[in-house]
Amino acid sequence: MLEKRLPPIGSRPGTLAIPSDSPAPRIFLLDYSSEHLIENPVEDLEQLAPHVHTENTTWIDIRGMGDEPLLRRVAEMFGIHPVGLEDAANIPQRAKSEIYDAHQIVICRSPLVEDGTLAFPQVCMFIGRGYLMTFQDRSFGFFDPIRDRIRAGIGPIRASGPDYLAYALIDGLVDRYYPVVDGLSEQLDELEDLVLEDPTADHLVQLHRIRRDIAVLRRVGWPQRDTIVDMARSPSPFITEDVRVYLRDTNDHMGQVMGRVDFCREVAVGLMDIYLSSLSHRQNEIMKVLTLMASIFIPLTFIAGIYGMNFEYMPELQRRGAYFVVLSVMTGVAVFMVWLFRRRGWLGRRRRRG
Amino acid sequence: MLEKRLPPIGSRPGTLAIPSDSPAPRIFLLDYSSEHLIENPVEDLEQLAPHVHTENTTWIDIRGMGDEPLLRRVAEMFGIHPVGLEDAANIPQRAKSEIYDAHQIVICRSPLVEDGTLAFPQVCMFIGRGYLMTFQDRSFGFFDPIRDRIRAGIGPIRASGPDYLAYALIDGLVDRYYPVVDGLSEQLDELEDLVLEDPTADHLVQLHRIRRDIAVLRRVGWPQRDTIVDMARSPSPFITEDVRVYLRDTNDHMGQVMGRVDFCREVAVGLMDIYLSSLSHRQNEIMKVLTLMASIFIPLTFIAGIYGMNFEYMPELQRRGAYFVVLSVMTGVAVFMVWLFRRRGWLGRRRRRG
Amino acid sequence: MLEKRLPPIGSRPGTLAIPSDSPAPRIFLLDYSSEHLIENPVEDLEQLAPHVHTENTTWIDIRGMGDEPLLRRVAEMFGIHPVGLEDAANIPQRAKSEIYDAHQIVICRSPLVEDGTLAFPQVCMFIGRGYLMTFQDRSFGFFDPIRDRIRAGIGPIRASGPDYLAYALIDGLVDRYYPVVDGLSEQLDELEDLVLEDPTADHLVQLHRIRRDIAVLRRVGWPQRDTIVDMARSPSPFITEDVRVYLRDTNDHMGQVMGRVDFCREVAVGLMDIYLSSLSHRQNEIMKVLTLMASIFIPLTFIAGIYGMNFEYMPELQRRGAYFVVLSVMTGVAVFMVWLFRRRGWLGRRRRRG
Amino acid sequence: MLEKRLPPIGSRPGTLAIPSDSPAPRIFLLDYSSEHLIENPVEDLEQLAPHVHTENTTWIDIRGMGDEPLLRRVAEMFGIHPVGLEDAANIPQRAKSEIYDAHQIVICRSPLVEDGTLAFPQVCMFIGRGYLMTFQDRSFGFFDPIRDRIRAGIGPIRASGPDYLAYALIDGLVDRYYPVVDGLSEQLDELEDLVLEDPTADHLVQLHRIRRDIAVLRRVGWPQRDTIVDMARSPSPFITEDVRVYLRDTNDHMGQVMGRVDFCREVAVGLMDIYLSSLSHRQNEIMKVLTLMASIFIPLTFIAGIYGMNFEYMPELQRRGAYFVVLSVMTGVAVFMVWLFRRRGWLGRRRRRG
Amino acid sequence: MLEKRLPPIGSRPGTLAIPSDSPAPRIFLLDYSSEHLIENPVEDLEQLAPHVHTENTTWIDIRGMGDEPLLRRVAEMFGIHPVGLEDAANIPQRAKSEIYDAHQIVICRSPLVEDGTLAFPQVCMFIGRGYLMTFQDRSFGFFDPIRDRIRAGIGPIRASGPDYLAYALIDGLVDRYYPVVDGLSEQLDELEDLVLEDPTADHLVQLHRIRRDIAVLRRVGWPQRDTIVDMARSPSPFITEDVRVYLRDTNDHMGQVMGRVDFCREVAVGLMDIYLSSLSHRQNEIMKVLTLMASIFIPLTFIAGIYGMNFEYMPELQRRGAYFVVLSVMTGVAVFMVWLFRRRGWLGRRRRRG
C-alpha cells in the first residue's frame, strides 16, 4: 500500500499516460472582471472560443482526464506546449514551476485524507495571458472557497488578473497542509502518553505509520516549497510584482509547514527511542521479579531437599526442635535475600508510577 | 500539548486571523530625540496624528490584537502594507525580515518560560521613516529595560533613529535565549549524573522533554538567526550602516546561542545512548545474579533429589558417613561454581561503584 | 558479491581496459531523415565511410567491446577523442556528460534485473555533428523501442537530429528506473507486514538486501541525475534548445525516481527499527511466560519440599486434614500470583493480535 | 559542569560585561623593527603614547580585564571601535574576524587543559596600522614562544609588520589543538581495547566524556577554522598578500585538526556501538550458562522427584537394579542435553578469547 | 594505534619538522624529451645545475627527508617557496594544490597496505617551468610504472611537459585506491555471510576495524578528491588545457572511488544493525529453550513434589493405580505445554536455516 499512492509513470515522450479509470473531463468556465461575471459549465469546446485572448480573466477549470483528444484540442486552442500538457495529464508529478513562451506551468500537490489514508492529488495550472487553466484528476473540492470569493467579489480578486487567481488557489492548497501536519502532531502527542504508560506492539505500528506519513509529506512538500520560493523570487512575464508580494507570504506559510513537519519527524524519532527504552525497562522489571522469586525460593527448596534425603544416619532428623530450627533458617535466608535485593534497589521502588 | 504552543494558522489572504482570546490593544507612545522625550499611553488614535512624519524618533508600541478595525486604522495612518499587517496579527509566524516600499518588517520570536512550559511569543516590528511600530500579542515585559534606557538617556539611543531602537529591542530579545539554553544545559548535566547512577523511567520522560524543547528551539531559532544575518548583511534603506555594525554583534550572539543549542542536542543524543546502555548494564547485573543462584542451587537440589528417591536398594543410603560425604560434595560443587563465576568475571567485581 | 557488479578499473591512461570476456563488437547502422531510412548491420568498417559528415542523422550502435583495434578505427573515423573512447570502453564509469571539441560524451547507467540480481549496465553516447554513436558492453535490449519508433516514424524523431535521438534513448533509460524502484517499494511493503506479524532472521536478510540495493541505486542514480540536470541546464553546441525542453522533462522524471529511492531508504530504516522492536517485544513475551511459570511453581514446589522433609518431629504431618490445608494454601498462592501478574498487566492481555 | 566553561553572556550593547573575578590588567609593550627592540611592562598609560603611529611594529599585550576605565582609555588611545572592545572584554565569543575602518579584529580560541578539564580561553587581537593589540582574560602563556622568537630575532618576524606577528600568534594557537586532539584519539584507542575486553559502566562514562569533549571541540573549532579561511582568502587592508600565503598554511593545519576531530567523532560513535554489542554479547553468554544449567538439571531433578513420591504401589521401587537404571537414564539425559547444546553452537566455543 | 599513522605536526613557521627516523635523501634525475633521455642518480647537487631552466622535461625525484640543508639547497636551486618546502617536509599534510609564482605545489596521499595496516604516505610535487620535483618520505615504489613508461617511450609522455608527467603520477596514485576499496568491500561481503550465520565477538572487532579504515579513507580521500577537482577545473599557468582534459578523467576515477567508499560505509552501518539483530535473535532462541524447559519440567516437578510429601493422611497414596494416573497427568501437562508453545510459534520452526 506504500507507493500505490504513486502509480508508476513510465511516460513515453509524446504520449499522454492517462490512467484508464480517469473520469471524462468536465470543464467549468469562469470569465470575470470588476464589472462582469460569466460562469457556466462547458459542454461544447466551441463555447470556449470567445474567451481566448480577451481583456478579462478567464478561468478554465478541467476536472478529469479521461478523454485525450478533448484535452489536446483545449490545449491547442490556448497554445499549451505539448510537454506541458503531458505534465498536466501524467500524474503524479513532483511540484514544479516552469516558464514557457506562451504560459507558465505550475504543478502543485495538496494533501487530502480519504478513507483514513493520506493522498496528494495533483493540481496543474497554466498561467497564460488573460487566462488560467487548471487540471485536476477529478474534482477534489479544493477550489470551492475561491470560486465563492469570486462570485461574492470579496477582496481584490475580481479586479486582478490570472496571476492573482493562481496565487489564491495555491494559497488555498498550502493552507490544506496545516490540518494534516497538526493531525500528525496530535497523534504523536497521544502516542507519546500511551508509550510512556505501557508500550505495546500496536503503538509501534502506529508510530511506523506516522513516520511513513511524515516521510511522504517531506517528499511531496519540499518540491512544493521550492516551487513557491521559485515563483516568489524569480521574475516571470506571467506574474506581476504585486502578486509576487503575496506569494512571499504563501512561501512563509509553506516554510512554516515544512518546519513543523521536520519537527514532527524529530519527535517521532525520539518516540521510537522511548518505545525501545520502555520495552527495555519493562523487561528489566520482569527480570527482577523472576530473579527475586528464583533467588529466594531456590535456596529454600534446596534446604528442604537436603532433609528430604533418605540417608539412614542423618543426626539432625532425630533432634526434636530441628524442624523449627530449619524453618527459622529458611525464614532468615528469605529475609536476607529480600534485604539484599532492596539494598541493590531492585525491590520496593516502583519506578513507573513515581 | 506538543504543538498547542503553535495554534493553527490557516490564514486566508486579506483577512486577519486574530485569536479570539486576544486582549484589546493598548498603545504606548514614546517620541524622543536628544533634546526631548514624550511618553504617554494612547487612548484615542487622534493622539498619534502629530507624530506621523516628524524628525523625531517615534515608537508606537501596540500590545494586544483584539480589535481589528483599530489595528487597520493605525496601519493606514502609518502606511503599513496590508500583507505586513497580516504578518503582525496572524501569530505565530516564523522570524523574518522583509523590505517594503514604506517600511521594513521584522518578525522576531523570543523564548519565555511560563508555568514551566517554553513558549516563543512573537514580536513584530515595522521600521519606517522616523517611527518604529511594534506589535505583541500581549505584554510580555520584553521591552521594559530598553524603555528604561530611553527614559534615562543611557548610551547613544536617544540620539539615534528607529533603526537603532529596533536593534536595541532585537538585541534584548536575543539575550533572552541565553538563560533558556543554559537552563537546558543544566538540566542535561543533572540528568546525566542521575542516569549514570540509576536509570529510571522518569529520566527517560525528562530527557524526552528536553529533547523536544531543543527541537523547538532549533525550529524557532534558525529562522531567527537567518533574519538577523539578513539584517546585518543586506543593505536596506531603513537601517543605517552604523546600526548594521551593531547588528553584526547581535548576529554573533545568536550564532553562539544556536551553537550551544546544537551542542545540547548532541549531548542529549549521547545521554539517550547512556540511558539505554545503563539499562542494558543493569539487566546484565540482574541476569548474573539469577544465573549464579540457579547455577549453584539447581545442581545441589538435584543431588538432594537423588537421595530423596525411595528405591529399596540404594546402597549409599545405608552407609554411615554417606550423608556427610554428600554434604561435602555439595559444598564442593558450590565452591567450584563460585570459582567458575569469579574466573569469568561475573562475580565479585561490583562495577557500578568502581 | 557486493562489488562484483563493479569490476575493478585501474585503467592506465592511454590504454583500454576491455574485460577479457567482452564479446566482439557488432555494429548496427541507422541513417535516417524525414524522407529516408537506411538500416543495416555493419560487417566492414568501410560501410560506415559514406555516413560520416552527412546532413542526415546517423546512429552507429556498437554492442560488445572485444576488439580494441576495431574500436580505435571507428573512433578515428568519427574523430572521437582518445579519452572519450577510454570512457566508453573502461566500464563501469559513473554517469557523466562532457563536451569535447568534436562531440559531447554522455555516459548513462540504467538498471537491469538479471537472475534476480540488480545490475547497472553502462551506455555511452557520443553526440556529434550529424551522428550519434552508442557503446554498450553487450546487447541489453535497451534501445529496441526507440529503434521501432524510428522505423515506424512515430513522433518527431525522424525529423530531428542526433540530439533528439540521444534524448529519446536517455528518456528510455530513465524510465527503466521506475519498475526497479517500485519493486523495492513493494518488497518493503510485504516485508513490513511480515515483520510486524512475526519477525524472523530471514526478514533481516531480506531487509539487508533491499537496503543494499537502495544504496546501489543511490550511488548510481545521483550521478545519473546530475548528468541530466547538466544536459538540461548548461548550453552545449550539440544539443538544441528545443531538445533541452524535453530533457527538462526527463530531469523531472529522474528527480522523481531519486525522491522515491530516498523515501524507500527512510522506510527501510524505519523497518529496521520495527524489526528490532518486534524482537524485543517478542523477548518480553517469552520472559513473561518464564517468569510466570517460575513465580507460580517455584514457591509451590518449595512448600511441597518442606513437607517432604524427613524430620521425626513435624507436628503438621500427623494432623488429619493437614494435607488438604496445604493443598488449599498452594492454590491460594497460585491464585495470588496470577492476580499479581494480571494487575501488573503481564498476563491476560495478548497484545500482538490486538 | 557542562556549560560552566561558557559563562552566560547577556551582554547589553554599550556596556562591558567583565567577569567580577577578572584580574586587573597588566600591559606589556614590545616595540621592534629589524634594528631595535624595546620591551617593558607598562605601569602608566602615558608610556604608550610615543608608540602610537610609529613606523615600527608595536605589540601591546593586555592580560586581565578587571579595570574597565583603563581598557577604555587604551582603546581610545589607539582608536579601537567600542563594539570591538566589547568583543574583546565580553568572553567567551565565537572565533571571528571582522574589518573596521581603523583595525581588523580577530578573535581566537585555543584549547587549554587545566586540572583535567578542557577549556578554550579567548584571545582577541586588533591588527591596526603599525600596532597589534592583544587581549587575554589572564596570562595563559600562549605567547611566550613568539616573544622569545622576537627577542632572539629568529626568522623574518623582526623585519615584518603586525600582520605577520598576528599570523605567528594565530599559528601558535592552532598548534595547541594538535596535542588535545591526539590526546582524545589516544584515549579512544585505550578505551577501545578495554571495551572489547570487558565492557564496564566506567567505560561508558569515559566514552561519554570523550564525546562531550569532541562536541565542544567541534563547536569551538569550526568557527575558528572559518575565521582563518576568511583571513587567508578575503583581502584586508591590514594583512599583506605575503602574510596571506602563510595564513593559507595555518588554514591547512586547522583543516587537518578538524578532520581529525571529525574522525575521532566517527570512531567514538563506533565505539558506542561496540559497547552496546559487547554488553549484548556478554548477556548472551550469561543466558547460555543459565539455560544450560537449567536444561540439564531441571529434567534430572524431575526424574528424581518422581521416584521420591510416596505412592504405595510403585513397581520400579522394588526392582533391585532400578536405582542404577535411573542413574544411567539421568546420565543419558545429561549427555544428550550437552550434545544438543554443542550442536547448536551454544557450548564449547569460547568466543571471547578467539 | 589509531592516529599513530598520523604523527603529530606542530610545525612552527620557518622550520622543517623532519621526523628523526627519516632516511637521508636519495635524488634521482630524469631528463627527457622526444629525442633524448638522461637518467642517473644524483650524488652531488652540482649535477642538477645544468638541468635548471632547460627546454626539456626534468624530473627530480627525492626520496627521504633526513638532510635539511640538502633539501633547502635543492629548493633554492629551483626557486621553491619556503612555505612550499615546509609542506613537502612536514608530513602528513592533507592533499591540496596551490599555485605560487614560480611553481604549483600538489600534495597527494595514496593508500599503502604494509604489514596488514593501512597507511597513506604523502607525495609532494612541485610543477615548475620545465621541471617536476617530487618528494617522498621514503621510496614506496609508487612511481616505478611511470618511470618504465618514460624509459620505453610508451604513449605521449616523452613528448609532453612536466604537467603531463604530474598527471601520470597522480593518475597512478589514484589507481592505488581501487584495490584498497575493493578489499574492504570484499571483507564486508565475507563478514556479512559470517554474521548472518553466527555472530561472534570477533566479527564485531573486524567490523569495527573496517569501519575505522573506511573513516580514514574518507578523511584522506575527500581532500584528495577536492585537490584533483581543483586542478581539473581552475586554470593554472603550470598545467596546459590538454592535460586538464586528462585530469578530468582522473577526477572521474577519484569520484568513483569515493562513491564506493561511501557505499562501503553504508553497508558497514547496515552490517552493524544486522550484528545487533542477530545477537538479539540468538538471545531469543536461547530464551525460548530456557522457557520451554522451565515451563515443562517445573510444573511436573511440583506434582512429583506433592506426592513426595510425608503427610500421614494422603488418600491418593494408597490407591493402587494412583502412581500411573499421576504419570499420565504429568504426560498430559507436558504435551499441553509443548502444544501451547507450538501454537505460539516458539517451538518447531527453526528459523535460522529456513
Side-chain angles (χ1 to χ4, degrees), chain E residues 30 32 54-60 104 106 125-134 146 150 156-170 231 237-240 243 247:
Chain E
L30 207 59
Y32 61 84
T54 63
E55 294 286 298
N56 308 328
T57 299
T58 308
W59 178 11
I60 303 110
Q104 178 164 8
V106 180
M125 306 180 189
F126 292 91
I127 312 171
R129 294 195 175 80
Y131 71 90
L132 179 84
M133 194 180 294
T134 54
I146 311 299
I150 296 174
I157 198 163
R158 283 279 284 277
S160 309
D163 53 349
Y164 187 91
L165 176 57
Y167 150 70
L169 295 177
I170 293 170
M231 292 179 72
F238 301 100
I239 301 180
T240 56
V243 171
L247 280 168

Side-chain angles (χ1 to χ4, degrees), chain B residues 74-352:
Chain B
V74 177
E76 210 172 330
M77 198 178 265
F78 284 85
I80 304 287
H81 193 284
V83 169
L85 185 62
E86 283 171 55
D87 283 335
N90 298 356
I91 55 175
Q93 304 276 338
R94 302 210 308 165
K96 69 170 179 179
S97 158
E98 253 171 86
I99 298 171
Y100 287 81
D101 286 344
H103 52 76
Q104 177 164 9
I105 182 172
V106 181
I107 292 180
C108 290
R109 299 201 34 209
S110 194
L112 184 76
V113 179
E114 274 185 334
D115 308 331
T117 62
L118 182 61
F120 290 85
Q122 167 176 327
V123 173
C124 181
M125 306 181 189
F126 292 90
I127 312 171
R129 294 197 175 78
Y131 71 89
L132 179 82
M133 193 181 295
T134 54
F135 284 88
Q136 285 166 283
D137 191 20
R138 54 187 177 84
S139 186
F140 300 106
F142 288 161
F143 296 163
D144 295 344
I146 312 298
R147 194 175 299 272
D148 291 343
R149 263 163 55 202
I150 296 173
R151 284 183 194 126
I154 297 169
I157 198 163
R158 283 280 282 278
S160 309
D163 53 349
Y164 187 91
L165 176 56
Y167 149 70
L169 295 177
I170 293 169
D171 195 67
L173 292 174
V174 167
D175 277 351
R176 289 183 174 270
Y177 279 88
Y178 279 103
V180 171
V181 177
D182 289 347
L184 284 178
S185 157
E186 267 165 44
Q187 283 181 55
L188 279 172
D189 280 347
E190 279 170 34
L191 207 52
E192 190 172 59
D193 291 344
L194 292 170
V195 165
L196 285 171
E197 179 84 12
D198 179 15
T200 71
D202 281 356
H203 301 154
L204 188 63
V205 179
Q206 283 179 45
L207 183 54
H208 186 65
R209 295 235 165 90
I210 293 174
R211 284 176 78 179
R212 219 170 47 184
D213 281 350
I214 291 172
V216 174
L217 262 168
R218 284 168 52 84
R219 183 162 57 88
V220 173
W222 280 116
Q224 181 68 62
R225 170 149 207 223
D226 294 346
T227 302
I228 299 174
V229 168
D230 191 43
M231 293 178 73
R233 295 275 157 77
S234 335
S236 150
F238 302 99
I239 302 180
T240 57
E241 184 57 41
D242 286 353
V243 170
R244 201 112 25 94
V245 169
Y246 287 101
L247 280 168
R248 284 186 343 204
D249 196 60
T250 305
N251 182 18
D252 288 338
H253 291 182
M254 196 65 209
Q256 198 175 29
V257 164
M258 293 319 290
R260 287 187 189 192
V261 170
D262 282 357
F263 180 71
C264 281
R265 190 182 178 220
E266 198 140 330
V267 171
V269 167
L271 209 49
M272 193 74 209
D273 283 352
I274 286 198
Y275 181 83
L276 281 170
S277 312
S278 292
L279 272 191
S280 221
H281 212 91
R282 174 64 49 107
Q283 188 164 343
N284 270 15
E285 297 281 310
I286 298 170
M287 288 293 302
K288 275 185 216 160
V289 169
L290 173 61
T291 302
L292 185 70
M293 298 304 287
S295 300
I296 290 177
F297 285 105
I298 287 182
L300 299 188
T301 304
F302 165 63
I303 295 173
I306 284 180
Y307 295 103
M309 291 193 295
N310 297 320
F311 288 105
E312 289 200 348
Y313 183 72
M314 287 177 69
E316 298 95 320
L317 296 182
Q318 281 76 35
R319 302 257 168 75
R320 196 179 164 88
Y323 172 54
F324 300 101
V325 169
V326 165
L327 283 189
S328 309
V329 167
M330 285 173 170
T331 313
V333 167
V335 167
F336 173 75
M337 280 294 169
V338 170
W339 173 81
L340 208 73
F341 275 62
R342 270 188 178 281
R343 220 197 52 159
R344 287 208 167 192
W346 294 353
L347 191 70
R349 280 186 283 157
R350 292 296 304 281
R351 279 175 189 106
R352 309 258 3 176

Side-chain angles (χ1 to χ4, degrees), chain C residues 106 125 127 132 161-171 231 247:
Chain C
V106 180
M125 306 180 190
I127 314 171
L132 179 83
D163 53 348
Y164 187 91
L165 176 58
Y167 148 70
L169 295 177
I170 293 170
D171 195 67
M231 293 178 73
L247 280 167

Side-chain angles (χ1 to χ4, degrees), chain A residues 1-3 9 11 13 87 92 96 98 208 211-212 265 272 283 287 293 307-309 317 323, chain C residues 167 171 185 189 192 248-249 252-253 256 263 266 273-274 277 281 283-284 287 310 312 316 337:
Chain A
M1 99 193 56
L2 175 72
E3 284 275 316
I9 297 188
S11 56
D87 282 336
K96 68 171 180 180
E98 252 170 86
H208 185 65
R211 283 176 80 179
R212 219 170 47 182
R265 191 181 178 220
M272 193 75 210
Q283 188 163 344
M287 289 293 302
M293 298 304 287
Y307 294 104
M309 292 193 296
L317 295 182
Y323 173 52
Chain C
Y167 148 70
D171 195 67
S185 158
D189 280 347
E192 191 172 56
R248 285 189 339 208
D249 195 61
D252 287 338
H253 292 182
Q256 197 177 28
F263 179 70
E266 198 139 330
D273 283 352
I274 285 199
S277 311
H281 212 89
Q283 188 163 344
N284 270 15
M287 288 293 301
N310 297 320
E312 290 200 346
E316 299 95 321
M337 280 294 168

Side-chain angles (χ1 to χ4, degrees), chain D residues 113-334:
Chain D
V113 179
E114 276 186 332
D115 308 329
T117 63
L118 182 62
F120 289 85
Q122 168 175 326
V123 173
C124 183
M125 307 179 189
F126 293 90
I127 312 172
R129 295 198 174 77
Y131 71 90
L132 179 83
M133 193 180 296
T134 54
F135 284 88
Q136 286 166 282
D137 191 21
R138 55 186 175 85
S139 186
F140 300 106
F142 287 162
F143 296 162
D144 295 344
I146 312 299
R147 194 175 297 274
D148 291 344
R149 262 162 56 200
I150 297 173
R151 283 184 196 125
I154 298 170
I157 198 163
R158 284 280 283 277
S160 310
D163 53 349
Y164 187 91
L165 176 57
Y167 149 70
L169 295 177
I170 293 169
D171 195 68
L173 293 174
V174 166
D175 277 351
R176 289 183 174 271
Y177 279 87
Y178 279 103
V180 171
V181 177
D182 289 347
L184 284 178
S185 157
E186 269 165 41
Q187 282 180 56
L188 279 172
D189 280 347
E190 280 170 31
L191 207 53
E192 190 172 57
D193 292 343
L194 292 170
V195 164
L196 285 171
E197 178 85 13
D198 180 15
T200 71
D202 282 356
H203 300 155
L204 188 63
V205 179
Q206 282 179 45
L207 183 54
H208 186 64
R209 296 236 165 90
I210 292 174
R211 283 176 80 179
R212 221 170 47 184
D213 280 350
I214 291 172
V216 175
L217 261 168
R218 282 168 53 83
R219 184 163 56 88
V220 173
W222 279 116
Q224 181 68 62
R225 170 148 207 222
D226 293 347
T227 302
I228 298 174
V229 168
D230 192 43
M231 293 178 73
R233 296 275 157 78
S234 335
S236 151
F238 302 99
I239 301 180
T240 57
E241 185 57 41
D242 286 354
V243 170
R244 202 113 24 96
V245 170
Y246 287 102
L247 280 168
R248 286 189 338 207
D249 196 60
T250 305
N251 182 18
D252 289 337
H253 292 183
M254 196 66 209
Q256 198 176 29
V257 164
M258 293 320 289
R260 287 187 188 191
V261 170
D262 282 356
F263 180 70
C264 282
R265 191 182 178 219
E266 197 139 331
V267 172
V269 167
L271 210 48
M272 194 73 210
D273 282 351
I274 286 199
Y275 180 84
L276 281 170
S277 311
S278 292
L279 271 192
S280 221
H281 212 91
R282 174 66 48 108
Q283 189 163 343
N284 270 15
E285 298 281 311
I286 298 171
M287 288 294 301
K288 275 185 217 160
V289 169
L290 174 60
T291 302
L292 184 70
M293 297 303 287
S295 300
I296 290 176
F297 286 105
I298 287 182
L300 300 189
T301 304
F302 164 65
I303 295 173
I306 285 181
Y307 295 103
M309 291 192 295
N310 297 321
F311 286 106
E312 290 199 347
Y313 183 72
M314 287 176 69
E316 299 95 320
L317 296 182
Q318 280 78 35
R319 304 256 167 76
R320 196 176 165 90
Y323 173 52
F324 299 102
V325 169
V326 165
L327 283 189
S328 308
V329 167
M330 285 174 169
T331 314
V333 167

